[in-house]
Amino acid sequence: TTGLSDHRYTRPSMSPSRTTARPTRRAKGTKKAAAPKASAAAPASVDAYIASFPDEIRVRLKAVRAAVLTAVPDGEERISYRMPAIFQNGVVAYYAAFKEHIGLYPPVATAALRKKAEKYAGPKGNLQFPHDKPLPLELIAQVAQARLKSNNS
């Protein structure tokens, strides 16, 4: 004999991790609930994004924009991920205003620049410039130039 007839299948016992109830199925013919929609539509342009903020934040956003565009004069501006972005051979920088700061993304890659930017480092390596402090426009330009160099290599 092959030994198969001697084999008895037993169901494995329920482990503690499988004791939770499984979700019930929708009744046939019912629709799935719609995903929640974003609270506000994405701005149509960078100018529209900046115009949506109070004057003091608008001035700061314009300064960040100018610093990046000075460093990347051929950069293309657009809205991406609902925030202003500058692209040239890939993303150079995203920037956005928040309640307490202006954020600059993506994270800084070069070690020397990371050292210069460490006091502005956010939780994921992005940079956060508090509204109550002067903007480090030279650093912002250096970050943009480094990103452009990385994109071109």
Side-chain angles (χ1 to χ4, degrees):
T1 68
T2 61
L4 291 177
S5 61
D6 296 334
H7 175 72
R8 292 185 187 190
Y9 176 77
T10 58
R11 293 185 79 166
S13 64
M14 290 275 264
S15 67
S17 65
R18 296 204 54 188
T19 58
T20 57
R22 293 190 177 171
T24 57
R25 291 188 174 177
R26 288 190 316 270
K28 196 170 193 172
T30 60
K31 291 185 177 182
K32 187 176 180 181
K37 293 186 178 182
S39 60
S45 67
V46 174
D47 288 327
Y49 178 89
I50 292 172
S52 71
F53 289 92
D55 289 339
E56 61 276 3
I57 303 303
R58 210 175 303 152
V59 168
R60 294 174 67 78
L61 286 169
K62 286 179 180 181
V64 170
R65 178 188 200 183
V68 175
L69 287 174
T70 298
V72 185
D74 295 329
E76 175 196 338
E77 288 189 291
R78 65 177 97 148
I79 295 293
S80 180
Y81 297 105
R82 305 179 78 142
M83 67 180 100
I86 314 264
F87 285 78
Q88 188 172 329
N89 298 329
V91 67
V92 174
Y94 297 96
Y95 57 97
F98 297 93
K99 184 177 180 180
E100 302 293 328
H101 68 276
I102 290 182
L104 184 70
Y105 313 89
V108 178
T110 61
L113 211 44
R114 243 191 335 263
K115 181 78 172 147
K116 285 183 181 180
E118 72 183 356
K119 73 178 183 179
Y120 302 106
K124 295 183 180 179
N126 58 308
L127 301 179
Q128 296 181 353
F129 309 114
H131 293 310
D132 62 349
K133 304 272 193 264
L135 286 168
L137 297 175
E138 187 177 316
L139 174 64
I140 292 169
Q142 289 173 352
V143 169
Q145 288 170 341
R147 289 285 307 159
L148 180 60
K149 185 177 179 183
S150 173
N151 288 356
N152 290 334
S153 60

